[in-house]
Amino acid sequence: MMTTAAVAPGELPLDQVRTLLTVVDEGTFDAAAAALHITPSAVSQRVKALEQRTGRVLLLRTKPVRPTPSGAVLVRLARQLARLERDAYAELGLSGGGPVRVSVAVNADSLATWFLDALTRVPRDPPLCFDLRREDEAHTAALLREGAVMAAVTSSPDAVPGCSVRPLGRMRYLPVAAPEFAARYLDGPPGERLAEAPVVVFDRLDDLQDGFVRRLGDGRGAASAARHHVPASEAFVGAVTAGLGWGLVPEPQAAPLLADGRLAELVPGTTVDVPLYWQQWKLDSPALAVVAEAVAEGAARALRH
């Protein structure tokens, strides 16, 4: 077992930190060796040296490898260093830094409704490339914590270490179903009927519908066990519209379908608001700054406040 060693600032060799990041990104020591043009043995030696220097196990030797919580801290450091290096290249007008890439974790409903429009308003000069990771808003912060992304749209107001947080607004959801489905299944008190009727959920992490039923039932019960898992925002709306089950649909997607009669509101006047926040690395990065401003402006137009 490794013992914890005190490491003073500045004692982390950058080649070892970057090698750790490459192993995580490539998934194996052999793949990292090919990417770095060194031998797998050299990769292993660098990682082991970094583990000895920090006194912590940094990688789980699985396939693919995964960083431990301590490893995630150094992976995040390595990504931040790479970001600063690319920004410096861009400011110096040098091409060696490659394309300016901004990685963001965002939930599917934001991606389907307002987020892409916000990105179209990012200035074109300098050109940016977006690397979007789709994840539930309750779990996007984990990608920030692991160093997998630079920023995230999240439902958590608690800043990830090394990150800043700002409120974006509230995404409103409406409980809806196809009119034929509502007539067939949903006759009776809302809490009871929704607990028994087939339901559409995004995935196995989606607690939105269950929480809504518990709210109607004063904390008792959950949505029906007869549930359809549909892990894509547009397809989720399509499944509800087709009558497979009821579900909570974002207001921007539900409104036109309610207006033309393809959906019916199940509990008129009752909604679910999910607060959203923007979290990002605390870096003086011009690229990240312009994206953050565009996202905040897009949220101001699209979300409730």
Side-chain angles (χ1 to χ4, degrees):
M1 178 179 295
M2 291 188 178
T3 58
T4 301
V7 182
E11 288 189 8
L12 294 176
L14 294 184
D15 63 331
Q16 295 176 7
V17 173
R18 288 167 174 156
T19 299
L20 178 74
L21 173 62
T22 305
V23 173
V24 170
D25 284 347
E26 297 296 330
T28 66
F29 282 73
D30 287 343
L36 294 171
H37 306 292
I38 59 178
T39 66
S41 176
V43 171
S44 180
Q45 289 172 8
R46 288 183 185 179
V47 173
K48 288 180 180 177
L50 189 58
E51 289 181 324
Q52 291 171 349
R53 183 173 289 273
T54 58
R56 293 169 172 82
V57 175
L58 301 175
L59 290 178
L60 299 176
R61 270 66 169 178
T62 54
K63 287 192 175 181
V65 299
R66 292 186 294 115
T68 64
S70 296
V73 173
L74 294 185
V75 167
R76 186 167 67 241
L77 168 65
R79 291 198 196 282
Q80 291 172 344
L81 290 172
R83 170 77 275 144
L84 291 172
E85 187 175 42
R86 292 190 186 99
D87 285 346
Y89 270 108
E91 289 190 44
L92 291 170
L94 302 176
S95 61
V100 179
R101 189 172 302 275
V102 179
S103 55
V104 182
V106 58
N107 62 305
D109 289 336
S110 291
L111 198 57
T113 53
W114 65 273
F115 192 78
L116 289 180
D117 180 66
L119 293 187
T120 65
R121 299 172 188 272
V122 173
R124 295 294 193 269
D125 187 26
L128 302 180
C129 293
F130 300 111
D131 182 5
L132 303 183
R133 296 278 298 272
R134 191 190 68 185
E135 183 58 89
D136 183 85
E137 65 271 10
H139 302 276
T140 49
L143 295 177
L144 263 180
R145 192 173 293 109
E146 295 166 4
V149 295
M150 304 165 61
V153 176
T154 173
S155 61
S156 174
D158 300 321
V160 170
C163 294
S164 61
V165 58
R166 65 193 292 185
L168 293 174
R170 294 177 285 114
M171 174 76 81
R172 174 158 291 181
Y173 290 82
L174 305 179
V176 295
E180 300 80 5
F181 179 93
R184 179 179 180 184
Y185 288 101
L186 303 178
D187 182 21
E192 294 179 10
R193 65 190 191 182
L194 291 180
E196 297 173 358
V199 63
V200 181
V201 297
F202 191 82
D203 57 23
R204 285 161 181 79
L205 297 175
D206 181 8
D207 188 54
L208 203 60
Q209 282 69 213
D210 290 325
F212 182 67
V213 172
R214 287 193 294 269
R215 172 182 162 190
L216 292 178
D218 296 324
R220 299 184 300 275
S224 171
R227 54 185 61 202
H228 306 283
H229 295 89
V230 184
S233 188
E234 295 87 347
F236 181 102
V237 177
V240 174
T241 306
L244 291 181
W246 71 274
L248 286 157
V249 172
E251 187 176 39
Q253 293 172 306
L257 298 171
L258 289 167
D260 66 17
R262 284 186 285 169
L263 287 180
E265 201 167 351
L266 301 181
V267 190
T270 303
T271 61
V272 174
D273 286 355
V274 176
L276 296 177
Y277 302 86
W278 175 257
Q279 294 206 39
Q280 69 176 61
W281 290 347
K282 289 180 179 178
L283 286 183
D284 185 16
S285 167
L288 192 53
V290 296
V291 172
E293 287 308 309
V295 168
E297 292 173 6
R301 290 188 301 269
L303 301 179
R304 289 184 172 266
H305 298 273

